[in-house]
Amino acid sequence: MSISRNCPVASLDAAERLHGNARHPLCPLLRTIPHKSNFLSVRPCGYLLVLILVCLFCIIPAIANAADAAVVYWAPWVTKTTTNSATINWHGASNKAGKIEYATSSYYDKHHSFEKTVESPTTSAYQHVQLTGLEPNTSYIYIVKPSGNETVFSNREFRTMPASGPFTFIVISDTQEGHDYTEAMRFKLVAEAIAKEKDVLFILHGGDYAGHDSEGLWTKYFEAADKMLAKFAIFTTIGNHEYHNGDTPTVPTEAVQYHSSYDIPRAGPLNHFFDCAGVRFIILDSPDPTTGEDPHTSLALAQSQAPWLEGLLKDNMAGVFTIHHHPIWDYFSSTNNPDLQPWEDLYHAYNISANFAGHTHTYQRYSVKGIPYFIVGNAGGRFADLISNSIPVWFVKGITRNLGYLKVTVDQANNTATAQEIFVAWVIEDDSAETPQVYDPPLVGDTVTFSLKPIGGGGGGNCFIATAAFGSYFDPRVKILRDFRDTFLFTNQIGQSFVNWYYKVSPPMADFIKTREIMKTVVRIILLPAVGVAYLCLKVGVLPTFLVLLFSAAVIYLGIRRFNRFRYTSHA
């Protein structure tokens, strides 16, 4: 039997077989190992044990630490606060849970420890844990400890809603980055200025948190917002950028980050409300994703929410604030957004306290038939120039290229709210990598005080007597009078003075009329000629209407004279 040169030889020891036949690169090293049977049978076992211990105590922990370092953590934020509950949210490992330790601030200050612990019931990257049994109008300290990395977060705080009494809240919108700058360069300045505020209860966000619907950009948003969210709860509104798709620009996303971050069911409605100390906050859904990847408003979407909105407005609250991403009135159009007309009608039918919006990256304020409308889209997005040839008649003030937020203090006892626009920095370019120039201290750019509820009564869009007489704000005759007011009276100083006088004297008269059917009939008869004149003015203008009335008066006068002359001749 012949033996091939490359076949192993049975008489060679292990090292020589490897060296001579397999040409293994470790063979020179193996040759130095003593050729003793006890070494070959015992010492390799010892080396193997050492190798296992090294893996257990060095390599595997290092791999675990590397994996944990790859986890994206978003520091906790608080949502859905009430008088006795709050939801704590955070982002961490997808296969981990966690726990929350918390106590009232007074307890923590006294004992330097937490009083209660709540475990997260699910394993998920997005965590939402509700705390219940809390005390009203009370400050709480809490810490979130994610499973596997309990020291990643530090203590944070929030305050529950008061049952009554004054309170202050913040309104911001459009915190997203620009093309040439990140949120850390602009929005972070706003967030850190808000964090320095005292006695703020919560934040209203008008939408457009990040540039598009991606975890990476939302990570930057939460990093920039960290100090603000460490102190105050946030209530959210969806904007058009929540649907922006970075991968397929022509197809809207399902707003995954918005739903996941704020614990909103995918199939659920995006309009919601909450009450605070007798004041109602209504959050409406304005971007319609069926309109495209950059959703704008639609009449169908607004109409679908109108019955729900009216039901909330009918309740007798101390005041009502509404917020939606897209504005009804904007500097760039003399008329309102027709898609949102159903909401506009209801706002004036029930006399809301104020309306907030974003989308246009400026600060703007309007006084629409006595109701303040704010655009607060200046928290970080690329600024827009305030240049227009068709400014709404309701426009009061507008400022651009100033980063800021709106601070609103509500005083139910005096039926007032005071809004201050706070500017924290300014820039030269709308979209650039320049370093914003910080106002130190922040600058108060605008202040307005307004009524929470109209003086003298409830709904009617301030058409008090006509609404009482005809029975409904939506009666066609009331609408004609309302349109006449908006077109011919609110547009000049004399007309505005007359309307303001009417608003002061008419509510008691309306209250007297609406409970007496006979008075309703009398007032309707008196108002019908005014309705006819208003209709003619709206259709053909004031001058033609005046000429028609003058001609009619002349005809009537001549007719009376002729009749009297005929009667005198007949008697003669």
Side-chain angles (χ1 to χ4, degrees):
M1 177 178 177
S2 62
I3 300 176
S4 170
R5 181 176 298 179
N6 292 325
C7 291
V9 181
S11 61
L12 297 177
D13 61 34
E16 290 174 338
R17 286 202 302 268
L18 284 169
H19 178 66
N21 298 293
R23 308 295 188 214
H24 196 280
L26 293 179
C27 286
L29 177 63
L30 292 174
R31 279 181 171 177
T32 63
I33 300 175
H35 300 171
K36 295 183 179 180
S37 59
N38 62 340
F39 177 85
L40 292 172
S41 60
V42 178
R43 289 194 178 183
C45 295
Y47 287 150
L48 181 60
L49 179 60
V50 171
L51 183 61
I52 292 173
L53 292 174
V54 169
C55 290
L56 286 175
F57 291 101
C58 298
I59 299 176
I60 293 177
I63 295 173
N65 289 337
D68 189 65
V71 174
V72 177
Y73 287 97
W74 298 350
W77 61 99
V78 180
T79 58
K80 304 176 183 178
T81 51
T82 68
T83 55
N84 58 10
S85 66
T87 298
I88 310 298
N89 314 265
W90 73 92
H91 182 282
S94 60
N95 61 342
K96 298 289 180 67
K99 63 182 179 181
I100 302 168
E101 297 177 0
Y102 67 100
T104 63
S105 296
S106 58
Y107 180 96
Y108 187 84
D109 291 341
K110 181 178 180 179
H111 300 279
H112 302 288
S113 63
F114 295 100
E115 184 179 13
K116 298 179 181 180
T117 301
V118 174
E119 299 280 348
S120 171
T122 60
T123 56
S124 172
Y126 298 88
Q127 291 287 335
H128 315 284
V129 180
Q130 187 182 43
L131 307 183
T132 58
L134 306 180
E135 300 174 16
N137 197 26
T138 301
S139 177
Y140 282 84
I141 304 291
Y142 72 97
I143 187 169
V144 170
K145 295 184 175 182
S147 302
N149 195 351
E150 293 192 349
T151 60
V152 67
F153 301 135
S154 57
N155 292 0
R156 301 167 86 83
E157 62 184 287
F158 69 91
R159 185 155 61 98
T160 52
M161 297 289 195
S164 61
F167 61 91
T168 299
F169 63 95
I170 300 292
V171 191
I172 58 173
S173 188
D174 298 82
T175 54
Q176 73 270 35
E177 74 288 348
H179 291 150
D180 297 326
Y181 63 89
T182 65
E183 292 187 39
M185 297 175 67
R186 293 195 180 183
F187 168 53
K188 188 176 181 180
L189 297 175
V190 177
E192 291 181 349
I194 293 173
K196 295 177 182 178
E197 288 282 0
K198 307 294 184 184
D199 298 323
V200 167
L201 186 59
F202 59 84
I203 298 164
L204 274 179
H205 197 306
D208 283 7
Y209 305 82
H212 55 77
D213 186 20
S214 74
E215 184 176 330
L217 288 183
W218 275 70
T219 298
K220 294 179 181 178
Y221 159 72
F222 278 106
E223 289 173 348
D226 181 51
K227 290 184 179 180
M228 174 183 81
L229 297 179
K231 292 184 65 178
F232 309 125
I234 185 169
F235 289 87
T236 62
T237 310
I238 193 165
N240 55 300
H241 275 263
E242 276 63 84
Y243 295 99
H244 279 200
N245 193 332
D247 298 324
T248 310
T250 58
V251 180
T253 69
E254 295 182 353
V256 175
Q257 297 303 320
Y258 179 79
H259 286 88
S260 301
S261 299
Y262 298 124
D263 192 25
I264 299 172
R266 295 286 179 89
L270 293 169
N271 51 307
H272 55 106
F273 79 98
F274 65 95
D275 295 336
C276 177
V279 177
R280 177 154 291 172
F281 293 82
I282 302 176
I283 299 170
L284 291 144
D285 173 19
S286 66
D288 186 349
T290 65
T291 61
E293 188 266 344
D294 186 15
H296 50 79
T297 58
S298 74
L299 181 60
L301 182 60
Q303 288 175 331
S304 70
Q305 298 169 71
W308 172 83
L309 172 61
E310 185 170 17
L312 294 174
L313 293 174
K314 285 181 176 178
D315 293 340
N316 185 26
M317 307 299 293
V320 176
F321 294 94
T322 63
I323 184 170
H324 37 81
H325 183 66
H326 293 86
I328 293 178
W329 294 95
D330 201 350
Y331 191 82
F332 306 101
S333 175
S334 60
T335 59
N336 65 344
N337 183 338
D339 289 342
L340 304 183
Q341 188 65 49
W343 301 349
E344 173 78 343
D345 289 341
L346 291 170
Y347 291 170
H348 294 280
Y350 294 95
N351 292 295
I352 65 170
S353 305
N355 171 254
F356 308 115
H359 192 61
T360 302
H361 299 169
T362 59
Y363 168 74
Q364 300 177 44
R365 177 165 64 88
Y366 299 81
S367 180
V368 185
K369 307 167 195 174
I371 298 176
Y373 285 57
F374 298 89
I375 296 179
V376 290
N378 59 331
R382 291 173 291 144
F383 284 109
D385 292 324
L386 288 175
I387 301 174
S388 175
N389 295 321
S390 55
I391 304 171
V393 296
W394 318 111
F395 177 78
V396 177
K397 192 164 188 176
I399 301 174
T400 189
R401 299 191 183 91
N402 276 261
L403 296 162
Y405 58 91
L406 192 69
K407 179 181 178 181
V408 184
T409 299
V410 174
D411 184 357
Q412 302 93 315
N414 292 309
N415 189 37
T416 61
T418 299
Q420 289 186 315
E421 174 63 16
I422 310 296
F423 294 133
V424 303
W426 60 275
V427 294
I428 299 174
E429 299 293 336
D430 297 338
D431 184 14
S432 72
E434 67 181 286
T435 300
Q437 302 300 307
V438 176
Y439 294 115
D440 188 15
L443 175 69
V444 178
D446 189 25
T447 302
V448 59
T449 298
F450 51 93
S451 299
L452 288 174
K453 297 182 71 171
I455 300 173
N462 294 329
C463 293
F464 300 111
I465 293 177
T467 302
F470 292 108
S472 171
Y473 172 83
F474 297 104
D475 186 281
R477 291 158 293 188
V478 177
K479 186 178 186 305
I480 290 172
L481 294 174
R482 191 169 66 246
D483 291 344
F484 176 83
R485 174 201 63 188
D486 298 344
T487 305
F488 299 109
L489 298 182
F490 267 130
T491 53
N492 61 83
Q493 191 64 41
I494 296 175
Q496 288 180 6
S497 298
F498 171 77
V499 172
N500 290 334
W501 170 82
Y502 170 79
Y503 286 168
K504 292 178 181 178
V505 302
S506 62
M509 299 170 63
D511 291 339
F512 178 79
I513 292 168
K514 66 184 178 182
T515 58
R516 295 167 173 82
E517 289 301 323
I518 294 177
M519 288 301 302
K520 284 185 178 181
T521 303
V522 172
V523 174
R524 280 199 293 267
I525 294 171
I526 295 173
L527 287 176
L528 283 176
V531 172
V533 171
Y535 179 81
L536 283 175
C537 289
L538 291 168
K539 290 300 181 180
V540 300
V542 174
L543 181 60
T545 300
F546 175 75
L547 294 176
V548 168
L549 292 175
L550 186 63
F551 177 78
S552 300
V555 169
I556 293 172
Y557 172 74
L558 292 174
I560 292 173
R561 285 195 61 183
R562 186 171 182 178
F563 174 76
N564 288 335
R565 184 182 301 172
F566 174 77
R567 187 177 62 176
Y568 176 78
T569 305
S570 299
H571 286 303

Coordinates of all heavy atoms in Angstrom, one line a residue, residues 5 14 25 28 52 65 67 80 111 136 154 170 192 194 268 312 319 323 368 370 403 438 516 519 531 560:
R5 N 2.5 11.5 -0.1 CA 3.4 12.4 0.6 C 2.6 13.4 1.5 O 3.0 13.9 2.5 CB 4.3 13.2 -0.3 CG 5.3 14.1 0.4 CD 6.2 14.7 -0.6 NE 7.1 13.7 -1.2 CZ 8.0 13.9 -2.1 NH1 8.2 15.2 -2.5 NH2 8.7 13.0 -2.6
A14 N 1.3 15.4 17.2 CA 0.3 16.3 16.7 C 0.9 17.5 16.0 O 0.5 18.0 14.9 CB -0.6 16.8 17.8
P25 N -0.4 28.0 10.2 CA 0.5 29.1 10.6 C 0.9 29.1 12.1 O 1.9 29.7 12.5 CB -0.3 30.3 10.3 CG -1.7 29.9 10.2 CD -1.6 28.4 9.7
P28 N 4.8 26.7 14.1 CA 6.1 27.0 14.8 C 5.8 27.3 16.2 O 6.7 26.9 17.1 CB 6.5 28.3 14.0 CG 5.9 28.2 12.7 CD 4.6 27.6 12.9
I52 N -12.6 31.0 28.9 CA -14.1 31.1 29.2 C -14.3 32.2 30.2 O -15.2 33.0 30.1 CB -14.6 29.8 29.8 CG1 -14.7 28.7 28.6 CG2 -16.0 30.0 30.3 CD1 -15.0 27.3 29.1
N65 N -22.1 46.3 26.6 CA -22.0 47.7 26.8 C -22.1 48.4 25.4 O -22.7 49.5 25.3 CB -20.7 48.1 27.5 CG -20.7 47.7 29.0 OD1 -21.8 47.6 29.5 ND2 -19.5 47.6 29.5
A67 N -23.7 47.3 22.8 CA -25.1 47.2 22.4 C -25.9 48.2 23.1 O -26.8 48.8 22.5 CB -25.6 45.7 22.6
K80 N -50.6 64.4 29.2 CA -52.0 64.0 29.8 C -52.1 64.2 31.3 O -52.7 63.4 32.0 CB -52.3 62.5 29.4 CG -52.2 62.2 27.9 CD -52.4 60.8 27.6 CE -52.3 60.5 26.1 NZ -52.4 59.0 25.8
H111 N -37.3 63.9 52.7 CA -36.7 62.6 52.9 C -35.5 62.2 51.9 O -34.8 61.2 52.1 CB -37.8 61.5 52.7 CG -38.9 61.6 53.7 ND1 -38.8 61.2 55.0 CD2 -40.1 62.2 53.5 CE1 -40.0 61.4 55.6 NE2 -40.8 62.0 54.8
P136 N -54.1 67.2 43.4 CA -54.3 68.3 42.5 C -53.3 69.5 42.8 O -52.9 69.6 43.9 CB -55.7 68.8 42.8 CG -56.4 67.7 43.4 CD -55.3 66.9 44.2
S154 N -31.8 61.3 34.9 CA -31.8 62.0 36.2 C -33.2 62.4 36.6 O -34.2 62.2 35.9 CB -30.8 63.2 36.2 OG -31.3 64.1 35.1
I170 N -47.7 77.9 28.2 CA -46.8 78.3 27.1 C -47.4 77.8 25.8 O -47.8 76.6 25.8 CB -45.4 77.9 27.3 CG1 -44.8 78.4 28.6 CG2 -44.5 78.2 26.1 CD1 -44.5 79.9 28.6
E192 N -34.7 76.2 26.2 CA -33.9 76.6 27.4 C -34.5 77.8 28.1 O -34.4 78.0 29.3 CB -32.5 76.7 27.1 CG -31.8 75.3 26.7 CD -30.3 75.4 26.5 OE1 -29.8 76.6 26.3 OE2 -29.7 74.4 26.3
I194 N -37.7 78.7 28.0 CA -38.9 78.3 28.6 C -38.6 77.6 29.9 O -39.3 77.8 30.9 CB -39.7 77.4 27.6 CG1 -40.2 78.2 26.4 CG2 -40.9 76.7 28.4 CD1 -40.8 77.3 25.3
G268 N -56.9 56.0 15.9 CA -57.7 56.9 16.7 C -57.7 58.3 16.1 O -56.9 58.7 15.3
L312 N -68.4 70.5 22.3 CA -67.5 71.0 23.4 C -67.7 72.5 23.7 O -67.6 72.9 24.8 CB -66.1 70.7 23.0 CG -65.6 69.3 22.9 CD1 -64.2 69.2 22.4 CD2 -65.7 68.6 24.3
G319 N -63.8 79.7 30.1 CA -63.1 80.1 28.9 C -62.8 79.0 28.0 O -62.8 77.8 28.4
I323 N -56.6 75.3 19.4 CA -55.3 75.3 18.7 C -55.4 74.3 17.6 O -56.0 73.2 17.7 CB -54.2 75.0 19.7 CG1 -52.8 75.1 19.0 CG2 -54.3 73.7 20.4 CD1 -51.6 75.0 19.9
V368 N -60.1 89.3 15.5 CA -61.2 89.0 14.6 C -62.5 89.2 15.3 O -62.9 88.3 16.1 CB -61.0 87.6 14.0 CG1 -62.0 87.4 12.9 CG2 -59.6 87.5 13.4
G370 N -63.3 90.9 17.8 CA -63.1 90.9 19.2 C -62.4 89.7 19.8 O -62.0 89.6 21.0
L403 N -36.9 84.4 17.3 CA -37.3 83.1 18.0 C -38.0 83.4 19.3 O -37.5 84.3 20.0 CB -36.0 82.3 18.2 CG -35.2 81.8 17.0 CD1 -33.8 81.4 17.4 CD2 -36.0 80.6 16.4
V438 N -28.7 86.4 20.9 CA -29.6 86.1 22.1 C -29.9 87.4 22.8 O -29.1 88.3 23.0 CB -28.9 85.1 23.1 CG1 -29.8 84.9 24.3 CG2 -28.6 83.8 22.4
R516 N -89.0 85.7 25.6 CA -90.4 86.3 25.4 C -90.7 86.2 23.9 O -90.2 87.0 23.1 CB -90.4 87.7 25.9 CG -90.3 87.8 27.4 CD -90.0 89.2 27.9 NE -90.0 89.3 29.3 CZ -88.9 89.0 30.1 NH1 -87.8 88.6 29.5 NH2 -89.0 89.2 31.4
M519 N -91.9 89.5 22.2 CA -90.8 90.4 21.9 C -89.9 90.0 20.7 O -89.5 90.8 19.9 CB -89.9 90.6 23.1 CG -90.6 91.4 24.3 SD -91.0 93.0 23.8 CE -89.5 93.7 23.2
V531 N -82.3 94.0 7.5 CA -81.7 92.8 6.8 C -81.8 93.1 5.3 O -80.8 92.8 4.6 CB -82.5 91.6 7.2 CG1 -82.1 90.4 6.3 CG2 -82.3 91.2 8.7
I560 N -97.3 109.9 -1.7 CA -98.1 110.4 -0.6 C -98.7 111.8 -0.9 O -99.8 112.1 -0.6 CB -97.3 110.4 0.7 CG1 -96.9 109.0 1.2 CG2 -98.0 111.2 1.8 CD1 -96.0 109.0 2.3

